[in-house]
Amino acid sequence: MNPEYALYSGTDRWFYDTPRRAGRTADGSGNANGSDGHRYALARRPVPEGWESAERGDWFSLAPAGRQLPAQGWKIHVSATPDNAEEVLETVAGICQERATAFKFLAGPALLLHRNTKYADRAGSGKFVTVYPATTAACGELAAELADALKGSAGPVVLSDLRWGEGPVHVRYGAFAPRFTRAADGSLVPAVADPAGRLVPDTRGPAFRLPDWVELPDFLRPHAEARAAQGTTDLPYTVERALHFSNGGGVYAGSHRETGEAVVLKEGRPHAGLAADGADAVTRLEREYAALRALEGLACVPRVHGLHTVGEHRFLAMEFIPGTPLNTVFARRFPLSAAEPAAEALAEHTAWALRTHQLVTEAVEALHTRGIAFGDLHMNNIMVAPDQLSVTLLDFEAATPAAERRPQIVANPAFVAPPHLRGTEVDRYALACLRLALFVPLTTLLPLDRDKAAHLAGLAADRYGIDRALFDEAVTELAGPARPEAGPSRGRPPVSATDWPAARDSMVAALLASATPGRDDRYFPGDIAQFATPAGGQSYGYGAAGVLHALHTVGVRCEEAEEWLIRTTRHPASGTPTGFYDGLTGIAWTLDRLGHREEALRLAHLVAAEPLDALGPGLHSGAPGVALALRDLADATDDPALGQAADRAEAAALRPAAPGGKAGLLHGPAGTALLCLRRHARTGEPALLDTAATALREELGRCVPGPDGSLVVSEARRTMPYLGSGSAGIAMVLDDYLDRRPDPAFEEARTALLRATGSAFYIQPGLFRGVAGLLLHLARTTTPGDRAARTALLTRQTALLDWHALTYQGHLAHPGEQLTRLSMDLSTGTAGVLLALAATHGEPAAHLPFLPPLRRPTDRP
């Protein structure tokens, strides 16, 4: 699970949304309560005379009117806690205004919490106020003054900076002005200029890093030395390797310096890694220590060695438990990963799941007998012994005395209890989730619809051939005592994905019902990528452009959304990407397809003016996608400037890429291969097919065989069959290549790649990382085979979408990436499912850009 999604799940009931919108109405027109209490007083007061204000993203800026800041330099970050933030802000603002120094701050408490939660970005954590001194000397003077004024004020350490003494003031060198450059992977990142004037990435990681050409000022040397002197030598343990990092601190494997006994060390950073109740990592570590002491002697609990303090950090030492996390054990043995799991495999898994659930239940009951509620039960917090005959519970930072009946403060998204549950009730709910998840790992959907548990239980019983009654107790727990008895229709989507065109009409209605025309950052809710760049909510991949294209493929227009897209992209902000799926190029291409040629050309010329030779690889945001779109627009308009820009982008795309890049259609060499194939269709140059073949061989070199003879992309210890970064996307381009030139090795490979689309279960429904993309490939592929078998597979895989499907305002909708909220975008949500299903039903316009349907009849009847 990507923990960042949790940060965008607390603002809106149905959709991912930025925390800065906490308290706003659904359409973004104002605050839910009509007040502005979600912002700090400084953001609500009139701007001081002679000053000007601005808002960009989460930040509210104040600066002397007309004052020109340097583009980069030494800047100051001030941290704060939720309790002292208002006071710290007023102190910093008073000093900055007295010194006529520009500064910015997080506009409200929700944003400060967002920056400091357990799974917030470690590099940005703690940054509450940023101050922009005009000179290096002024930075030293101002930092000293702020440190003196804020002496005794608490705040988390900003890991990317040098901390000034022991207070909340920190200093680093970096960009002041919003300037951007391309990182090694082609993504757009903040930049600073080197002495030659070249823009280079302004690296912002969880460690202090100084550009090579910048000298550390004398006033920072004592603070740099103090940071270098920090370590863990005062512990009676040696740290050997890191197991995990969060914003609250690290988890390390180590050993006792004298005895050599293996231990686990958990670190707690003060004022960082906040939980829902405001407890920081240190507080939770102390709670964990107390819980482990109360549970001493239980075989299902690690033995605690001690709680240690090093500087301001706390370290909990405990027994190292050998074994494998339950989540890993489950993933390795999950029978529905196969296309046709044997009855024996399903029966064996059923017996294992029931036995494992019983072991976990007994462990949790042992805690309750000792008067402790666990509070954070999920598959990663359960260690299965090597012989799989016992389990140990891990991570007791949320454990509390059961008698206190506290609410859940941290939770895995698949095990989130309803807010009314307390203490041991939270554990019983998690056990019910586990009962279902050991058969169908989709309990992340339950906060969106508790009735979905009954639907999933029925699907699991049918698929495993077991008695539905095995899930009755769990379903009752998950639905809650006040809900009706489980019935066959509870939690089911309003219409099945296999019911076309009813499914089409229902998804279209859901897309239109989700619109938020009063907002400028998005029109249709989608992935959290909508908030990552200035054009995320407008983009083809995650925003309005992609949704409008999907609607257009089924004959539906939304003129209000088209006008919104034109208006909100008229003056693109600094830092807006140029890429196809994430930026201006894809928006321009879409507007042209919708008949808005003048507006499309305006954006395309902005792209053409960019340094396209600096674009990175990949169809998503790099040179291949830009080249293909600009070529389409140039051919459609006979615009020589766009043709020249397309030439430059093509040249950038055909440069040799650095080794070790990503794989797949969106980010890998397959995008370059697709560019060559489209260009070959236009020019007929044989060398282009050679280049495409080389790129495709590179992609196939990153694939590994599966046990069923399939071929899938290997990525970070995972196998990826999907369209965006997996084998299906590579197979789509292989189909195009083989449409132009025979190649026996490629023929064999695409047959193996196709097998990866046949598994009995996939965790997500989306276009690029889920079922929908596999359907798109199955509907388009010209791989030879039995037509009836292919049709049957397409029907079976279409039905898998019903496992994920939910209801939004009475209409069919689908969850996005990570499944914790609905999404309407093309890449991750309902628009992508609509496009894929339309393709399976022969809609001629329903296809991805630059991958039109193939017409070569190769299937056997």
Side-chain angles (χ1 to χ4, degrees), residues 410-433:
V410 293
N412 180 284
F415 293 79
V416 178
H420 68 276
L421 297 182
R422 297 287 190 275
T424 56
E425 296 168 346
V426 172
D427 293 344
R428 285 194 289 272
Y429 184 90
L431 285 169
C433 283

Side-chain angles (χ1 to χ4, degrees), residues 667-851:
H667 303 285
T672 300
L674 180 61
L675 171 64
C676 292
L677 294 173
R678 295 281 83 84
R679 182 168 165 178
H680 177 267
R682 195 177 71 252
T683 68
E685 300 173 51
L688 290 167
L689 293 182
D690 297 336
T691 304
T694 298
L696 289 169
R697 290 189 191 99
E698 184 179 350
E699 291 278 32
L700 293 173
R702 298 175 186 175
C703 295
V704 296
D708 57 353
S710 63
L711 201 59
V712 287
V713 169
S714 177
E715 176 193 277
R717 295 179 295 178
R718 298 178 300 174
T719 53
M720 301 290 286
Y722 304 117
L723 185 64
S725 299
S727 48
I730 299 169
M732 288 189 85
V733 184
L734 272 177
D735 282 338
D736 274 62
Y737 180 91
L738 291 167
D739 198 36
R740 289 166 173 77
R741 177 191 280 179
D743 186 307
F746 282 176
E747 282 284 4
E748 183 179 354
R750 74 165 169 172
T751 300
L753 291 168
L754 186 62
R755 290 195 187 102
T757 65
S759 293
F761 178 85
Y762 297 94
I763 196 67
Q764 296 186 145
L767 186 63
F768 287 128
R769 285 170 58 88
V771 177
L774 306 182
L775 294 176
L776 187 64
H777 174 46
L778 283 168
R780 181 182 186 270
T781 186
T782 53
T783 305
D786 185 300
R787 183 180 302 170
R790 186 75 50 78
T791 300
L793 176 60
L794 194 58
T795 301
R796 192 191 80 179
Q797 300 307 78
T798 298
L800 290 181
L801 288 169
D802 290 346
W803 292 50
H804 309 89
L806 295 161
T807 301
Y808 178 69
Q809 295 191 18
H811 311 300
L812 177 61
H814 297 83
E817 191 78 10
Q818 308 292 304
L819 305 182
T820 62
R821 289 293 182 270
L822 295 178
S823 171
M824 297 297 173
D825 70 29
L826 186 97
S827 291
T828 72
T830 306
V833 176
L834 175 65
L835 180 74
L837 287 178
T840 69
H841 288 86
E843 295 284 354
H847 58 82
L848 286 178
F850 325 121
L851 282 163

Side-chain angles (χ1 to χ4, degrees), residues 94-175:
I95 292 173
C96 287
Q97 288 170 3
E98 183 179 341
R99 284 179 165 265
T101 301
F103 66 102
K104 69 178 182 182
F105 57 94
L106 294 173
L111 298 174
L112 178 63
L113 180 63
H114 165 74
R115 293 273 172 153
N116 290 326
T117 57
K118 180 176 180 179
Y119 290 110
D121 176 23
R122 296 169 67 224
S125 175
K127 297 176 182 178
F128 173 46
V129 186
T130 306
V131 181
Y132 298 100
T135 65
T136 300
C139 177
E141 295 168 3
L142 189 53
E145 184 175 355
L146 288 169
D148 185 63
L150 295 171
K151 187 177 296 183
S153 297
V157 171
V158 179
L159 297 175
S160 63
D161 294 21
L162 281 179
R163 186 182 184 188
W164 191 286
E166 298 180 353
V169 176
H170 306 76
V171 181
R172 76 178 290 267
Y173 186 94

Side-chain angles (χ1 to χ4, degrees), residues 22 37 44 110 126 149 165 246 276 285 319 325 334 367 527 545 561 586 713 745 757 766 826 836 859:
R44 304 196 303 266
S246 74
L285 211 60
E319 175 187 10
F334 185 48
L367 267 60
D527 191 67
V713 169
T757 65
L826 186 97
D859 287 352

Side-chain angles (χ1 to χ4, degrees), residues 316-620:
L316 175 64
M318 64 190 116
E319 175 187 10
F320 179 88
I321 302 295
T324 307
L326 177 57
N327 194 51
T328 302
V329 176
F330 172 80
R332 290 173 179 170
R333 63 173 298 120
F334 185 48
L336 301 190
S337 297
E340 294 288 351
E344 295 81 3
L346 294 171
E348 180 187 354
H349 181 84
T350 297
W352 171 86
L354 295 176
R355 183 176 67 252
T356 300
H357 188 269
Q358 181 60 32
L359 290 173
V360 177
T361 300
E362 292 170 359
V364 171
E365 289 175 348
L367 267 60
H368 293 177
T369 301
R370 291 281 187 96
I372 297 294
F374 190 39
D376 188 23
L377 182 71
H378 57 83
M379 286 201 199
N380 278 326
N381 280 354
I382 301 166
M383 186 69 78
V384 180
D387 61 8
Q388 299 200 16
L389 297 180
S390 63
V391 298
T392 303
L393 303 181
L394 306 177
D395 199 353
F396 284 76
E397 65 179 39
T400 59
E404 296 180 5
R405 291 184 47 78
R406 295 187 191 176
Q408 192 172 35
I409 60 167
V410 293
N412 180 284
F415 293 79
V416 178
H420 68 276
L421 297 182
R422 297 287 190 275
T424 56
E425 296 168 346
V426 172
D427 293 344
R428 285 194 289 272
Y429 184 90
L431 285 169
C433 283
L434 182 64
R435 180 75 157 198
L436 193 54
L438 286 170
F439 292 88
V440 185
L442 291 176
T443 54
T444 310
L445 299 174
L446 299 186
L448 289 168
D449 183 2
R450 298 290 171 194
D451 286 340
K452 190 70 177 175
H455 183 215
L456 292 176
L459 291 170
D462 290 344
R463 193 67 189 84
Y464 285 87
I466 56 179
D467 189 346
R468 168 66 170 72
L470 285 170
F471 300 108
D472 283 352
E473 185 177 346
V475 168
T476 299
E477 177 70 43
L478 296 172
R483 303 187 70 86
E485 289 300 314
S489 64
R490 286 181 54 201
R492 291 183 178 274
V495 59
S496 172
T498 60
D499 186 3
W500 190 268
R504 174 198 64 198
D505 297 341
S506 191
M507 285 186 284
V508 168
L511 289 167
L512 298 178
S514 73
T516 54
R519 295 177 60 156
D520 287 335
D521 59 341
R522 74 164 194 216
Y523 193 92
F524 299 104
D527 191 67
I528 66 173
Q530 290 188 329
F531 310 107
T533 71
Q538 290 81 8
S539 67
Y540 182 85
Y542 310 102
V547 177
L548 290 171
H549 177 234
L551 289 170
H552 187 51
T553 65
V554 295
V556 176
R557 297 288 292 268
C558 181
E559 293 183 1
E560 185 179 19
E562 292 174 25
E563 293 168 0
W564 178 93
L565 182 59
I566 292 168
R567 175 177 61 81
T568 57
T569 57
R570 188 160 287 131
H571 303 290
S574 175
T576 300
T578 57
F580 189 88
Y581 279 90
D582 64 346
L584 296 179
T585 305
I587 298 169
W589 185 90
T590 304
L591 287 175
D592 189 63
R593 293 302 180 279
L594 295 173
H596 303 289
R597 176 149 291 174
E598 181 179 348
E599 292 82 1
L601 289 177
R602 175 178 52 81
L603 292 179
H605 280 284
L606 290 177
V607 173
E610 291 289 310
L612 302 180
D613 58 335
L615 288 171
L619 197 64
H620 183 276

Side-chain angles (χ1 to χ4, degrees), residues 300-326:
C300 59
V301 175
R303 190 172 69 257
V304 64
H305 292 307
L307 191 64
H308 306 271
T309 300
V310 178
E312 297 177 335
H313 291 213
R314 206 65 56 89
F315 288 86
L316 175 64
M318 64 190 116
E319 175 187 10
F320 179 88
I321 302 295
T324 307
L326 177 57

